[in-house]
Amino acid sequence: MKVAPSIIAADFSHYQEELQKIKDAGADCLHLDVMDGVFVPNLTFGPMIVEAIDRVTDMTLWSHLMIMQPEKYLKEYIAAGSDWISFHVEATERVDQCLAYCKQHGVQTGLSINPATPLEQVKHYLPHVDILLIMTVTPGFCGQKFMDDVVPKIQEARQYMIEHGITCSIAVDGGVNRENACTLKKAGTEIVVAGASVFRSHDYAQAIQELRCSKV
Ligand code: DX5
Ligand code: ZN
């Protein structure tokens, strides 16, 4: 499994060192949690910080937009250096427009769904999506408890994609740790986002290796 550490769990007062450490630890890309304080009850950072991070690392930057009306900000987050963008189906009336815009501008396109959102709500978009980001916490903060009852949705998504010949990658985000990583892989997950389980560990490389669940 690919591992995308979530930078909001890092020590931002030493963010350049943290970026170098996480790259050296083998992270596959960097997950940037953008929160507007409206779609989720937390406020993190805007395009300026994405640009600052892009200046100091060559890692793939994955902006997870937990913001209302992402269609208003895609241009800025892409210009700031986002290589992948995930936005929430619950946050916009213009999913098709957002998907098309991301594709036109050459970024990997992700659609994210909250734990309470049924897969039914996004199935028809999946042929046009590179990454389906399934939330296993209610978005807003790192360090939350993994929601086991979302695992069937991962299995349902995998099954649906196999039956319909869809090649979209399944990513899971929220409370991922070494205890649940193998369950997620068996359910069909290809990419895990991890904040606390990586940045609160004393060995980032070991934490990332454990999340890969290579033995399964
Ligand atoms: C939640 C964010 C997640 C979170 C992951 O709103 O989208 O990316 O920061 O952190 P952990 O792995 O600690 O839940
Ligand atoms: Zn995230």
Side-chain angles (χ1 to χ4, degrees):
M1 261 187 319
K2 291 189 184 306
V3 179
S6 167
I7 192 76
I8 65 164
D11 172 2
F12 247 85
S13 65
H14 297 92
Y15 87 94
Q16 278 190 262
E17 292 135 73
E18 290 277 70
L19 290 173
Q20 190 56 54
K21 272 175 69 181
I22 206 69
K23 178 181 180 182
D24 296 344
D28 293 286
C29 66
L30 204 56
H31 186 83
L32 309 177
D33 283 311
V34 175
M35 302 180 189
D36 65 0
V38 178
F39 180 67
V40 292
N42 192 7
L43 198 56
T44 56
F45 47 76
M48 188 180 74
I49 300 297
V50 174
E51 195 175 350
I53 291 172
D54 190 42
R55 277 202 297 272
V56 297
T57 183
D58 60 0
M59 290 179 73
T60 298
L61 302 185
W62 177 6
S63 292
H64 175 193
L65 303 183
M66 287 162 277
I67 63 175
M68 288 308 293
Q69 297 180 294
E71 59 272 16
K72 290 184 175 174
Y73 304 97
L74 292 175
K75 183 178 178 206
E76 286 76 8
Y77 280 100
I78 293 171
S82 304
D83 303 294
W84 300 4
I85 286 205
S86 298
F87 60 90
H88 275 259
V89 69
E90 305 91 350
T92 177
E93 300 292 323
R94 292 181 166 71
V95 173
D96 289 309
Q97 178 190 325
C98 291
L99 295 177
Y101 188 88
C102 289
K103 284 240 175 280
Q104 281 157 14
H105 291 79
V107 296
Q108 286 289 295
T109 308
L111 199 50
S112 188
I113 54 174
N114 282 340
T117 303
L119 187 72
E120 208 53 48
Q121 200 167 323
V122 294
K123 277 180 175 174
H124 56 295
Y125 295 119
L126 295 181
H128 315 293
V129 170
D130 298 306
I131 303 164
L132 172 64
L133 180 58
I134 298 177
M135 298 305 296
T136 42
V137 294
T138 300
F141 301 90
C142 65
Q144 298 183 81
K145 188 175 175 323
F146 180 81
M147 295 169 71
D148 294 287
D149 56 1
V150 178
V151 175
K153 190 191 296 184
I154 302 165
Q155 294 161 330
E156 181 193 0
R158 174 52 64 218
Q159 194 52 38
Y160 180 80
M161 291 182 198
I162 290 169
E163 286 165 2
H164 293 79
I166 296 170
T167 55
C168 165
S169 297
I170 296 179
V172 169
D173 185 4
V176 174
N177 58 39
R178 61 181 174 193
E179 281 75 36
N180 57 43
C182 292
T183 302
L184 293 174
K185 185 173 184 179
K186 286 177 197 156
T189 308
E190 292 151 291
I191 308 165
V192 287
V193 175
S197 62
V198 171
F199 285 105
R200 291 181 192 167
S201 74
H202 63 278
D203 182 336
Y204 291 175
Q206 184 186 342
I208 288 172
Q209 194 48 40
E210 287 170 345
L211 292 173
R212 289 196 197 288
C213 190
S214 314
K215 59 180 184 297
V216 167

